[in-house]
Amino acid sequence: MRLHPQTYVLTAVTYNRIRLFQRTANAELLIATILRYRDQGKFLFHAFVVMPDHIHIALTPAESVEKAVQLIKGGFSFAIRSQFPGEVWLDGYHAHRMGDAEDCSNQIRYIANNPLRKNYLDYPHVHTTGTWVLDPVSFFS
C-alpha cells in the first residue's frame, strides 16, 4: 500500500448495458476475480455490488486506480471470453475519490442500497467489509 492511500468508488458498465451479471455464474465469476486480486494485495476492497449491467466497488488500490480497474475489467473479460465472445465492458469507468469519513459512509450506503433502488429484494451480490487500513475517521484525516 502507498504511504497515503486514496480510496475510490468505481463504477463500470457492461457494453450496451447487456445484463451479463443477471446470470449468477457470471456474477460469481466477477466476484471471484475481485477477490483473487484482493487476495494478491492489488487493492483493499471495502464494499461492492454486482448489478445485472454494472458494478460499483469501493476500494483502496495498492498502485493506482487505473491499474485496479484494468485488473478487474480485464481479468473478468479474460475469464469469461470462452463463454461470452462479445464486448464485455463499455470503455472507461467512473471513479469518485472519497474525501472524508462522511463521504465514505455515504458511498458504502449507496452501494449497499443500490439493489433496493431497483426493487431487487434479497439481492445476493452485495458485499461489504470493515477492512480499512485505518479507522475510516482517521483514514481521511
Side-chain angles (χ1 to χ4, degrees), residues 49-66:
V49 61
V50 179
M51 297 296 287
D53 64 355
H54 68 282
I55 182 172
H56 298 291
I57 181 168
L59 58 75
T60 304
E63 294 179 37
S64 68
V65 68
E66 296 84 6

Side-chain angles (χ1 to χ4, degrees), residues 5 13 46 59 100 105 108 111 128:
V13 179
H46 312 295
L59 58 75
D100 58 25
S105 178
I108 300 298
I111 289 169
T128 60

Side-chain angles (χ1 to χ4, degrees), residues 5-139:
Q6 295 182 340
T7 300
Y8 298 86
V9 172
L10 306 173
T11 301
V13 179
T14 60
Y15 187 75
N16 287 336
R17 288 228 176 236
I18 287 178
R19 298 173 65 86
L20 187 61
F21 306 120
Q22 185 169 313
R23 184 169 179 251
T24 299
N26 294 343
E28 290 175 351
L29 183 58
L30 177 59
I31 292 166
T33 301
I34 292 167
L35 296 178
R36 182 176 72 245
Y37 288 120
R38 181 220 40 201
D39 293 347
Q40 290 175 8
K42 303 299 183 183
F43 51 78
L44 295 176
F45 88 81
H46 312 295
F48 67 89
V49 61
V50 179
M51 297 296 287
D53 64 355
H54 68 282
I55 182 172
H56 298 291
I57 181 168
L59 58 75
T60 304
E63 294 179 37
S64 68
V65 68
E66 296 84 6
K67 180 67 174 178
V69 171
Q70 177 187 18
L71 291 170
I72 293 167
K73 288 175 66 174
F76 175 75
S77 295
F78 181 80
I80 200 166
R81 186 64 56 208
S82 65
Q83 302 163 30
F84 187 82
E87 290 290 325
V88 175
W89 301 102
L90 281 179
D91 287 341
Y93 59 93
H94 174 77
H96 168 80
R97 188 176 64 81
M98 291 190 214
D100 58 25
E102 181 179 356
D103 187 22
C104 172
S105 178
N106 291 338
Q107 295 296 324
I108 300 298
R109 193 171 20 263
Y110 178 88
I111 289 169
N113 291 324
N114 198 247
L116 295 176
R117 282 189 293 283
K118 301 289 186 178
N119 292 318
Y120 298 150
L121 304 178
D122 298 322
Y123 194 74
H125 305 301
V126 179
H127 303 269
T128 60
T129 178
T131 304
W132 290 95
V133 175
L134 303 168
D135 172 25
V137 174
S138 60
F139 187 77

